[in-house]
Amino acid sequence: MPDRRPLVAGNWKMNGVAASLTEIDAIGDGLIDPPCDVAICPPATLIAAAVERAKNTPLMIGGQDCHMAEKGAHTGDLSAEMIADAGGKLVIVGHSERRTDHGEADALVRAKAEAGWRAGLLVILCIGETEAERRAGDTLAVLDRQLAGSLPDGADAHRLVIAYEPVWAIGTGLTPSNDDIQTAHAHIRQRLVATVGNNGAAIRVLYGGSVKPGNADEILPLPDVDGALVGGASLKAADFLAIVAAA
Ligand code: PGA
């Protein structure tokens, strides 16, 4: 089995102002020989400052989204190159809030993942079923469809991470059973191997959706779970560091 170093990544979403950088300080200072890779994706306004504050620590900083183009007339957007220029090391693409709030479909997510690679960033590509899809028993079919539509050619473990985030579990306090998480992750891994060959087995698959200090101990040790994408619980350094410790 390939050695997959876990990744615990925090997504601050549209939260955080300059005063919140003290949480970056506390997270960075709390990472002494961390058992995994650790990242925070603050809002775009804080990326450069967070990079500066985290610079002597193992904490990586990233973006929450990027445009597919390198530059141009796209008011309000941010390119992957800009994230890299600010010192970011990674970018999240295809988050369900982008898919819902901005109508992002698989083909666009794929283009954004390619943009992240073009800029030399590690890409965290999010997939996951809605509550209705889960109830209809379509979870694995949805994951297959999203992977087929949004996974660029040439994926490998150095530049791609998949995050399995059931939409109904995000921000709700609900999580799938451990069996359901493991089944989804094993399925995703199988698809990765089928699509990109044996390299696929080394690609990390994170779980996301209401990960908290209280459930990280159960979720993170599951065999095909290689870390977590954390929303709400990444806003407070103490909670986030407790999740890192569980990895
Ligand atoms: P949550 O968000 O941890 O607040 O549920 C997870 C995510 O959206 O990545």
Side-chain angles (χ1 to χ4, degrees):
M1 192 169 95
D3 193 17
R4 295 185 300 263
R5 181 170 164 86
L7 167 65
V8 176
N11 171 11
W12 280 10
K13 308 189 179 183
M14 201 170 73
N15 298 291
V17 292
S20 319
L21 291 167
T22 55
E23 300 298 326
I24 297 287
D25 296 338
I27 294 167
D29 291 347
L31 294 178
I32 296 162
D33 273 337
C36 57
D37 292 340
V38 185
I40 290 284
C41 299
T45 47
L46 296 181
I47 292 175
V51 165
E52 180 61 25
R53 304 276 279 253
K55 75 178 175 214
N56 294 318
T57 79
L59 178 62
M60 295 184 288
I61 303 297
Q64 300 173 9
D65 174 52
C66 65
H67 194 276
M68 60 195 273
E70 184 182 344
K71 60 183 174 182
H74 304 289
T75 302
D77 274 313
L78 195 67
S79 73
E81 281 77 6
M82 290 168 174
I83 295 170
D85 182 58
K89 297 284 184 242
L90 66 153
V91 65
I92 299 168
V93 300
H95 190 281
S96 71
E97 286 151 17
R98 298 292 313 176
R99 292 176 187 261
T100 307
D101 294 357
H102 300 272
E104 295 190 1
D106 289 336
L108 179 63
V109 173
R110 177 186 166 123
K112 289 181 174 213
E114 286 170 339
W117 290 354
R118 187 185 65 218
L121 300 175
L122 176 69
V123 168
I124 302 182
L125 195 164
C126 303
I127 56 175
E129 82 287 0
T130 63
E131 170 70 45
E133 289 163 339
R134 177 173 91 116
R135 285 223 198 113
D138 288 342
T139 297
L140 300 182
V142 168
L143 300 179
D144 286 350
R145 192 189 69 223
Q146 290 179 330
L147 277 177
S150 58
L151 185 67
D153 294 336
D156 69 47
H158 298 293
R159 49 190 199 153
L160 181 78
V161 173
I162 301 290
Y164 169 56
E165 299 207 302
V167 178
W168 53 271
I170 295 177
T172 58
L174 303 172
T175 54
S177 69
N178 291 343
D179 278 355
D180 284 351
I181 294 175
Q182 171 55 27
T183 299
H185 280 236
H187 183 81
I188 291 166
R189 193 170 311 290
Q190 234 174 37
R191 297 301 310 168
L192 289 171
V193 170
T195 312
V196 305
N198 282 340
N199 282 346
I203 294 173
R204 291 174 287 189
V205 183
L206 313 186
Y207 170 77
S210 296
V211 176
K212 311 274 178 226
N215 60 21
D217 277 342
E218 279 191 25
I219 295 172
L220 289 172
L222 296 171
D224 280 295
V225 173
D226 308 312
L229 183 55
V230 185
S234 70
L235 295 170
K236 287 274 161 262
D239 287 350
F240 188 64
L241 288 170
I243 295 168
V244 168

